[in-house]
Amino acid sequence: MSASTPSFDRFLRATADALTSDTAIYIIKRLLQAALTLLLASMLCFLIIQLAPGDYLDALRENPRISPERLEEYKRQFGLDKPWDQQYWLWLWQIISKGDFGTSFVYNRSVISLLWERVQATLLLAISSLVVTWAIAIPMGIVGAVYQQKWIDRVLRVLSYIGQGLPSLIAGLLLLVFAQNTSPLFPVGDMTSIDHDDLTQLGKIIDIAWHMILPTIALSITSFAGLQRITRGEMLDVLRQDYIQTARAKGLPENKVIYVHALRNAVNPLITLLGFEFASLLGGAFITENFFNWPGLGRLTLQAVQAQDLYLVLASLMMGSVMLILGNLLADLLLKFVDPRIQLSDMN
């Protein structure tokens, strides 16, 4: 016990220092800014939705089995009998006071439970695509810079041009055609197989991973092409610096010069782009999920928009905004971690 007490005291002191550090202050400021951003975004989204003609009850009015009395009951139940500004403030107060984002008109379920089910699938797809993108683009960019104007650099640049010319929309269509011609090699549709529940734990993981292959490729093609070109450009700039020439003159191994000295300085701008990369992946996921019938947030949002499911649309858009804000915050913190010389206060 006595041996562990000093360690615990050091842990407490380190925690206290962290809470009062510039990093903690920066995170608090960013979270406060995020709260204001989300408030303004929610107001704008609510207003845009209200400008759309009709509402959720329009489809029900066409059903002769539903009486006018029942429609009026639905209006009161969902708060559609109130002016739009009252609807918004009631919805906002419900979130602040109870953490309740309302009830989905279509699913007749809590919106937050629906989002929790779908956001995990979207994050799984986006993060896997981010890992694949960086695992491919960074080495290709380094190779292109090291072998500048050689045949391998030219091949990689052609691949990047092709990749940038294939947005997620086109890439998804081409992969669907490929899957159709190679069926049943690659599964298309949903996140799991029919017999998923009967598989072992390892089998379930493999099943989900197998279903992720085509959506992940579709989401990664454009991203890896752009990141590869940026990596190549940053590495070329760094390799021309005097300290790189000095390191080589001192006889350091070429691998150490490239992967320790050059890459460490070239990676900073790439980490800055991480937040934007995550944002673009989420935007692309909305398209990819619908192509591959992936049960994620993007597909749920599209269905909610088509059905004019007011509270589900709002909550989905807010969840997407939260993910984008957290992605950019994570990129800033990673940049600080990689290069401690950077002051977060200068990034406000």
Side-chain angles (χ1 to χ4, degrees):
M1 177 67 72
S2 59
S4 62
T5 301
S7 299
F8 184 70
D9 291 341
R10 285 195 297 271
F11 171 76
L12 289 178
R13 286 195 297 269
T15 304
D17 292 341
L19 291 175
T20 57
S21 67
D22 291 340
T23 302
I25 295 172
Y26 176 77
I27 292 174
I28 293 171
K29 285 182 178 179
R30 287 292 298 270
L31 291 178
L32 291 175
Q33 292 172 1
L36 179 59
T37 301
L38 290 175
L39 176 63
L40 296 175
S42 67
M43 294 175 65
L44 181 60
C45 292
F46 199 95
L47 180 60
I48 292 174
I49 294 171
Q50 292 296 324
L51 292 176
D55 56 29
Y56 167 70
L57 297 181
D58 283 350
L60 299 183
R61 291 188 182 97
E62 298 176 2
N63 189 342
R65 297 182 180 180
I66 300 178
S67 64
E69 292 78 13
R70 184 60 175 162
L71 289 172
E72 289 299 322
E73 185 179 337
Y74 278 134
K75 267 192 173 184
R76 291 190 297 271
Q77 177 184 346
F78 297 127
L80 299 178
D81 57 335
K82 298 180 177 61
W84 72 268
D85 55 334
Q86 291 186 28
Q87 292 181 42
Y88 173 75
W89 292 115
L90 287 173
W91 173 76
L92 184 62
W93 177 246
Q94 198 170 259
I95 295 174
I96 296 173
S97 61
K98 302 177 183 177
D100 183 5
F101 284 79
T103 302
S104 167
F105 301 167
V106 175
Y107 297 93
N108 199 25
R109 285 179 52 191
S110 166
V111 165
I112 199 68
S113 64
L114 283 168
L115 291 181
W116 181 246
E117 288 177 3
R118 299 300 185 95
V119 74
Q120 297 177 71
T122 295
L123 281 175
L124 179 63
L125 190 60
I127 292 174
S128 66
S129 178
L130 197 65
V131 172
V132 169
T133 298
W134 281 62
I136 295 175
I138 299 298
M140 289 177 69
I142 294 172
V143 170
V146 173
Y147 297 98
Q148 183 186 12
Q149 301 303 331
K150 303 289 180 61
W151 68 268
I152 189 170
D153 179 36
R154 292 190 176 95
V155 170
L156 293 178
R157 279 158 53 187
V158 169
L159 290 176
S160 70
Y161 293 142
I162 294 173
Q164 284 195 306
L166 285 176
S168 298
L169 178 67
I170 305 300
L173 287 173
L174 292 176
L175 287 171
L176 284 176
V177 173
F178 171 76
Q180 183 180 9
N181 293 328
T182 57
S183 179
L185 181 59
F186 292 101
V188 176
D190 216 341
M191 186 176 171
T192 57
S193 302
I194 298 175
D195 60 345
H196 180 79
D197 293 335
D198 300 328
L199 300 175
T200 63
Q201 192 64 33
L202 178 60
K204 291 180 179 179
I205 295 173
I206 294 174
D207 183 42
I208 294 175
W210 194 244
H211 280 76
M212 287 175 59
I213 292 177
L214 293 183
T216 301
I217 293 174
L219 200 55
S220 304
I221 288 177
T222 305
S223 300
F224 105 82
L227 186 61
Q228 175 199 338
R229 295 187 64 188
I230 294 172
T231 303
R232 179 182 180 276
E234 293 295 334
M235 282 293 294
L236 286 174
D237 287 342
V238 172
L239 289 174
R240 297 188 185 104
Q241 300 298 317
D242 292 340
Y243 65 88
I244 296 295
Q245 306 305 323
T246 302
R248 283 172 172 161
K250 289 182 177 179
L252 291 178
E254 187 65 14
N255 285 341
K256 189 172 183 180
V257 171
I258 294 171
Y259 294 104
V260 176
H261 295 281
L263 183 59
R264 183 176 180 180
N265 289 279
V267 79
N268 284 1
L270 303 180
I271 294 177
T272 305
L273 293 171
L274 181 62
F276 299 102
E277 187 73 20
F278 190 64
S280 64
L281 285 175
L282 289 174
F286 275 51
I287 300 173
T288 305
E289 287 174 7
N290 284 283
F291 274 179
F292 293 94
N293 203 28
W294 187 264
L297 185 62
R299 186 162 162 248
L300 179 69
T301 304
L302 179 61
Q303 292 171 346
V305 169
Q306 292 172 338
Q308 291 186 301
D309 195 342
L310 175 63
Y311 301 125
L312 184 55
V313 173
L314 279 171
S316 299
L317 293 174
M318 290 302 98
M319 182 63 71
S321 300
V322 168
M323 292 164 67
L324 298 183
I325 290 170
L326 291 179
N328 282 282
L329 177 59
L330 178 62
D332 290 345
L333 295 178
L334 282 175
L335 190 60
K336 172 68 174 177
F337 176 77
V338 171
D339 191 350
R341 296 171 301 175
I342 295 175
Q343 297 296 322
L344 289 173
S345 57
D346 297 336
M347 302 171 63
N348 286 328

